[in-house]
Structures are given as structure tokens and as C-alpha cells.
């Protein structure tokens, strides 16, 4: 316990070996937490070739980069990756490990924590440090998203948590003058119980990049009919933005799940998020908290969405949205 130190961020890579956004996003709070703990921040990269990702993470203020490379790491495999991370942990004894709550992270995190005999807080939306104890304060939705729970792991190390993509923004702070580079040669000699034979993507219509969008216009139950999503599409087009939705609209079959924002959809952090006809259930609010500016349009002045909105318009969306779209088009024309 006492010899555990430093904060790690597991940085996933794509097929080209580039770092995925969620890993770069986590280096931002990771840097701040490491400074509070007076420890070092390390990016941990596992893949066939980590050169590209290694250079990317250096821009985010890391003190060091730990890499594990080899052909066996070309595609993610639970057994192989778990073995690699656990051997790294046993050798270097980190205090905290942050993992993106991606498909890979949600599979890898529990396996690592179980093998190491430590705790794991899943799907976190906030991160902080208790100054007195040095314990990480992990905040996540609980009881179906009806409240936010704060969890600490005081009795075991490393402290581990997965964090949803889009909760934090990427912020390049520049490379440090001296960055420690550690390359570990870790081979897996156990049984490989699963292999990927083929990948068939789920057909959900067009690809929707909510996580990377700067402007998002989302529609909810207040639209009353799926045909009224045309209003949302027109406003999003005027802003050069992306169409989002609440869970209620998806459950009603009005729009595909790929557009869903919230706890069971995508966590987003655009420059501007416009919620149209969305009351603001806590599950939805958990997914938009990282937005720079939130604008709510709803006829109910007591709708919870107004509690977190930077700007609120109380009115009939069928009157407000077309006028807003027209105004934006006029401003762009001039």
C-alpha cells in the first residue's frame, strides 16, 4: 500500500496505432490529480506499434510513457491485455489507474481489478482527490441514474476507475523537457481462449460523431412526432452541427440509438448543446455536463433542464426553433 505511487492513464489505440480521444481526454484530469497527489503522470500504451500514440501523449503534460508492443497486441484480447497490464502493475506499483469506458475499457477494467484484488468504479462522470487521505473521489450515476454516488477505495491499491468518453475535453499543455520512456517486453504464454474471426458492424444508419461535434442540437419527447425531427435537423444544419436526441425519442423509435445522448447513450462535450423539448432527466444531464454552453428550449418553466442550462427559452419549440434557425441563417449570410 505505502509504496504505491504515480497515476496511470491507459491509452487505447486504433488500427493505425494512433491514440483514441478518450485516452487523451483522461490525461487532462490525470495531470491535475497527479499534481494534487504530488505524483507523476504516466501514459500506458499497449499495441502492435506505439510510436504514433507515444508522440501524441507527450503533448498532454505526461511525466512518462510506458509501452508494451508486439504482434500479439495488434487486436485487443482480454487474456493477453490483462496479462500485460497486471505484470506492469506488479512491477511499477501505480497508485491510480484511469481507463476509458469504451467497449475495450469496460471489458479490461474489471478483469484487471479482479486479478489484482482491488476495487473498480465504473462509468465515472467526475474525478477528484480527497486532500486529507489522498484517496480518489470517483463520482458516477447510481440507482438507474436517479442520483450521483461518490465512491472511495481506501483499503486497496491501485485505485481504478473507468470514465466515459466525452466527459473531459482534450487539452494540449505542451511536452515536458524530460519525459521518461519505459518499454517493457511482455509475452503471453497462456491459453488464448477467444479470437476475433470477423467483425460485422451494427447497422444503425449513418455514422454519427457526437463525441467530436462542436455543436449539437438534440430533440426529445416534446417534439411529439418523429416527423418533427426535421426542425432539429434544420437547426443543426444551420449551425454546421450534429443531431442528437434523448433516450425517450430513441425508445419511441423516432431516431436511431446512434444519436442518443446521456447515460445510456453518448457523453458529449460540445461548444454549444441545444436541448429542444427535453425535460432533463438526470440520465440525460449526466451526458451533457462537459458542454461549454447549454441552451434549453422547453415550454415547462420548471423542467429540470433549466437547472443546468446557461441560457433557457421558455416557449413553444414549434415557434422558437424555426425562428432561431432563420436568425442563424441570416447572421451567417451577413
Amino acid at each position: 500500500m505505502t509504496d504505491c505511487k504515480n497515476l496511470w492513464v491507459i491509452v487505447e489505440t486504433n488500427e493505425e496505432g494512433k491514440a483514441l480521444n478518450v485516452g487523451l481526454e483522461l490525461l487532462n484530469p490525470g495531470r491535475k490529480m497527479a499534481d494534487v497527489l504530488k505524483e507523476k503522470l504516466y501514459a500506458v500504451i499497449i499495441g502492435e506499434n506505439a510510436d504514433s500514440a507515444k508522440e501524441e501523449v507527450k503533448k498532454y503534460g505526461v511525466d512518462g510513457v510506458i509501452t508494451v508492443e508486439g504482434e500479439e497486441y495488434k487486436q485487443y484480447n482480454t487474456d493477453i491485455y490483462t496479462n500485460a497490464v497486471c505484470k506492469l502493475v506488479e512491477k511499477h506499483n501505480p497508485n491510480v489507474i484511469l481507463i476509458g469506458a469504451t467497449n475495450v475499457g469496460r471489458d479490461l477494467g474489471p478483469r484487471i481489478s479482479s486479478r489484482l484484488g482491488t476495487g473498480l468504479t465504473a462509468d465515472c462522470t467526475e474525478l477528484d482527490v480527497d486532500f486529507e487521505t489522498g484517496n480518489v473521489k470517483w463520482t458516477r450515476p447510481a440507482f438507474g441514474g436517479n442520483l450521483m454516488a461518490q465512491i472511495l477505495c481506501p483499503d486497496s491499491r491501485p485505485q481504478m476507475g473507468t470514465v466515459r468518453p466525452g466527459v473531459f475535453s482534450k487539452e494540449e499543455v505542451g511536452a515536458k523537457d524530460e519525459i521518461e520512456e519505459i518499454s517493457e517486453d511482455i509475452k503471453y504464454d497462456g491459453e488464448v481462449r477467444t479470437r476475433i474471426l470477423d467483425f460485422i458492424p451494427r447497422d444503425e444508419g449513418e455514422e454519427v460523431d457526437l463525441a467530436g461535434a462542436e455543436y449539437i442540437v438534440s430533440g426529445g419527447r416534446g417534439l411529439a412526432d418523429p416527423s418533427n425531427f426535421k426542425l432539429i435537423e434544420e437547426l443543426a444544419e444551420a449551425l454546421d452541427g450534429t443531431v442528437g436526441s434523448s433516450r425517450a425519442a430513441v425508445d419511441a423509435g423516432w431516431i436511431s440509438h446512434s444519436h442518443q445522448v446521456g447515460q445510456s447513450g453518448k457523453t458529449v462535450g460540445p461548444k454549444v448543446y441545444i436541448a429542444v423539448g427535453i425535460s432533463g432527466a438526470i440520465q440525460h444531464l449526466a451526458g451533457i455536463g462537459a458542454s461549454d454552453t447549454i441552451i434549453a428550449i422547453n415550454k415547462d418553466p420548471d423542467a429540470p433542464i433549466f437547472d443546468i442550462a446557461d441560457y433557457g427559452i421558455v416557449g413553444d419549440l414549434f415557434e422558437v426553433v424555426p425562428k432561431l434557425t432563420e436568425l442563424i441563417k441570416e447572421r451567417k449570410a451577413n
Side-chain angles (χ1 to χ4, degrees):
M1 287 281 293
T2 56
D3 61 348
C4 291
K5 62 181 181 179
N6 301 326
L7 190 149
W8 287 6
V9 173
I10 306 293
V11 178
E12 287 183 50
T13 60
N14 61 17
E15 294 179 354
E16 289 77 37
K18 294 183 178 180
L20 296 186
N21 279 343
V22 64
L24 301 178
E25 292 166 3
L26 291 180
L27 291 173
N28 174 26
R31 178 70 274 166
K32 296 174 182 176
M33 293 165 66
D35 290 341
V36 172
L37 293 167
K38 296 181 180 180
E39 297 179 352
K40 293 182 178 181
L41 172 66
Y42 285 82
V44 178
I45 307 169
I46 302 174
E48 183 180 29
N49 187 326
D51 290 345
S52 178
K54 188 191 305 182
E55 294 307 311
E56 286 183 89
V57 300
K58 290 179 180 179
K59 303 173 186 176
Y60 292 82
V62 299
D63 297 294
V65 183
I66 301 174
T67 58
V68 180
E69 300 176 83
E71 187 177 352
E72 61 193 306
Y73 301 108
K74 182 176 182 178
Q75 289 183 323
Y76 172 74
N77 178 277
T78 306
D79 294 320
I80 295 175
Y81 271 60
T82 299
N83 174 72
V85 176
C86 287
K87 286 190 174 178
L88 289 177
V89 170
E90 290 165 1
K91 181 175 181 178
H92 298 283
N93 295 317
N95 180 25
V96 181
I97 301 179
L98 304 181
I99 305 173
T102 60
N103 289 338
V104 167
R106 285 171 170 157
D107 179 73
L108 180 63
R111 289 294 297 273
I112 297 171
S113 66
S114 177
R115 186 167 297 185
L116 296 176
T118 188
L120 173 76
T121 306
D123 279 352
C124 298
T125 56
E126 293 181 38
L127 299 171
D128 202 353
V129 175
D130 186 306
F131 293 97
E132 294 184 1
T133 64
N135 292 321
V136 175
K137 294 192 286 188
W138 313 89
T139 301
R140 71 177 305 277
F143 292 98
N146 293 311
L147 58 83
M148 304 301 286
Q150 195 171 83
I151 300 171
L152 291 86
C153 183
D155 300 324
S156 58
R157 293 292 185 271
Q159 303 170 81
M160 292 181 57
T162 60
V163 183
R164 301 194 70 177
V167 169
F168 297 98
S169 58
K170 293 192 301 181
E171 293 183 17
E172 293 186 14
V173 298
K176 293 201 168 189
D177 293 334
E178 293 185 10
I179 298 176
E180 183 180 9
E181 297 189 24
I182 302 172
S183 178
E184 299 285 4
D185 183 18
I186 300 176
K187 302 298 181 183
Y188 181 71
D189 54 8
E191 179 187 0
V192 179
R193 295 176 292 179
T194 60
R195 296 183 185 276
I196 297 176
L197 301 179
D198 194 10
F199 176 73
I200 303 174
R202 182 169 54 187
D203 184 11
E204 289 189 333
E206 82 268 32
E207 186 70 22
V208 182
D209 183 18
L210 287 169
E214 293 189 345
Y215 298 89
I216 297 175
V217 184
S218 284
R221 196 193 307 273
L223 289 171
D225 189 271
S227 63
N228 292 324
F229 256 95
K230 183 178 180 181
L231 297 174
I232 305 300
E233 294 167 358
E234 291 173 348
L235 179 54
E237 184 179 356
L239 289 166
D240 295 323
T242 303
V243 174
S245 75
S246 68
R247 177 174 178 174
V250 172
D251 288 347
W254 296 354
I255 195 167
S256 71
H257 181 267
S258 58
H259 291 269
Q260 184 175 323
V261 174
Q263 183 182 349
S264 53
K266 299 284 181 62
T267 301
V268 299
K271 290 182 178 178
V272 178
Y273 184 86
I274 303 178
V276 181
I278 296 175
S279 62
I282 191 170
Q283 293 93 334
H284 191 80
L285 302 185
I288 66 174
S291 304
D292 292 343
T293 301
I294 298 174
I295 301 171
I297 303 172
N298 201 296
K299 66 180 181 181
D300 180 6
D302 297 320
I305 191 73
F306 289 123
D307 293 338
I308 69 163
D310 298 286
Y311 301 96
I313 302 175
V314 179
D316 186 344
L317 70 86
F318 298 103
E319 296 179 4
V320 174
V321 174
K323 289 181 179 179
L324 183 58
T325 302
E326 183 180 351
L327 179 61
I328 294 171
K329 288 181 177 178
E330 289 175 359
R331 291 287 180 88
K332 288 177 70 175
N334 298 329

